[in-house]
Amino acid sequence: DTGVSQDPRHKITKRGQNVTFRCDPISEHNRLYWYRQTLGQGPEFLTYFQNEAQLEKSRLLSDRFSAERPKGSFSTLEIQRTEQGDSAMYLCASSRDKAYEQYFGPGTRLTVT
Amino acid sequence: AQSVTQLDSQVPVFEEAPVELRCNYSSSVSVYLFWYVQYPNQGLQLLLKYLSGSTLVESINGFEAEFNKSQTSFHLRKPSVHISDTAEYFCAVSSLYGGATNKLIFGTGTLLAVQP
């Protein structure tokens, strides 16, 4: 396993700009999750993919957020018209089908100025 | 719905002393339980998990946790900590009946600060 990778590791953007993050899961994992972690808090679930199908979205995922996993491999998370409240660490995790443990990437830290 | 409570936001301890990090959960259905560790500016690493079987689970670096169904707890312990154990520790649950998602519900974390 090469592990879950995320790109970029850090992103600084100005309020109102759009940003896109990428996640590459462990190769044989067909489940992919996005979480958001703010300072002093645990990660909070945002959305889940099984292969290319997005099967659940949290109410935290406003209409400015969109996620895709076009071929069931890598995934992207886009935030449009960023706000200062979007500043957080965005974590991606993957798991095998019918396995409950998830493996996390290093995260993308977003700072909105 | 599930929730996880980690009552201690920070636990200071001296090197080579024992430590216990507390985790309690609430759920109307059976759950799987996990401890993750997060070092500064890094993602989360799976430390140990309880899925079924023995209620005492161990990690490769000396941590252990015990699932107590009656007390809805999954406390993490280590008999002798090292400086390198300094990190944030997160307890998480996943419902056995979460449908297709199996999303993790996390506590707010406990910072283990090991002092020389």
Side-chain angles (χ1 to χ4, degrees):
Chain A
D1 286 342
T2 56
V4 178
S5 61
Q6 293 187 245
D7 183 69
R9 293 291 306 275
H10 304 274
K11 179 70 177 179
I12 300 174
T13 191
K14 293 185 177 180
R15 184 165 51 93
Q17 297 295 305
N18 299 343
V19 294
T20 300
F21 310 140
R22 176 178 171 127
C23 170
D24 287 88
I26 294 171
S27 58
E28 63 268 27
H29 288 187
N30 62 339
R31 292 173 174 244
L32 187 146
Y33 303 80
W34 285 98
Y35 293 84
R36 181 172 68 186
Q37 184 180 21
T38 54
L39 200 61
Q41 299 297 317
E44 295 175 293
F45 170 78
L46 291 178
T47 191
Y48 159 70
F49 289 85
Q50 183 160 0
N51 298 312
E52 66 276 10
Q54 187 175 21
L55 297 184
E56 185 171 341
K57 293 192 290 186
S58 163
R59 55 186 165 80
L60 292 176
L61 213 66
S62 76
D63 56 4
R64 295 185 298 106
F65 288 70
S66 63
E68 294 183 340
R69 195 182 181 195
K71 296 183 179 179
S73 56
F74 72 91
S75 175
T76 58
L77 177 67
E78 180 183 16
I79 309 175
Q80 295 182 328
R81 306 181 303 281
T82 52
E83 302 173 355
Q84 287 190 321
D86 297 331
S87 295
M89 175 79 90
Y90 290 84
L91 295 164
C92 177
S94 70
S95 73
R96 298 176 189 273
D97 200 16
K98 300 181 181 178
Y100 288 86
E101 58 269 32
Q102 296 176 22
Y103 295 89
F104 284 79
T108 294
R109 182 170 295 283
L110 173 66
T111 302
V112 181
T113 62
Chain B
Q2 296 88 42
S3 66
V4 177
T5 302
Q6 292 182 251
L7 289 173
D8 305 307
S9 60
Q10 186 168 350
V11 173
V13 63
F14 288 107
E15 194 173 18
E16 298 183 5
V19 70
E20 179 178 81
L21 306 183
R22 295 180 292 169
C23 172
N24 288 87
Y25 68 93
S26 173
S27 177
S28 57
V29 298
S30 296
V31 295
Y32 294 133
L33 294 149
F34 306 86
W35 276 100
Y36 282 85
V37 58
Q38 186 176 35
Y39 297 99
N41 299 313
Q42 294 186 26
L44 281 74
Q45 299 175 26
L46 180 64
L47 186 60
L48 44 75
K49 63 188 179 187
Y50 171 77
L51 303 181
S52 64
S54 172
T55 57
L56 183 65
V57 291
E58 299 177 351
S59 73
I60 58 174
N61 57 353
F63 283 94
E64 64 178 30
E66 186 160 19
F67 170 52
N68 188 319
K69 189 175 182 179
S70 63
Q71 297 187 2
T72 60
S73 68
F74 191 53
H75 301 330
L76 181 69
R77 294 187 289 262
K78 188 170 186 180
S80 176
V81 296
H82 302 288
I83 294 286
S84 59
D85 293 324
T86 295
E88 189 93 26
Y89 291 79
F90 292 94
C91 182
V93 301
S94 176
S95 169
L96 266 69
Y97 306 109
T101 306
N102 299 331
K103 62 189 174 190
L104 293 171
I105 307 299
F106 286 89
T108 52
T110 298
L111 175 62
L112 175 62
V114 182
Q115 305 165 18

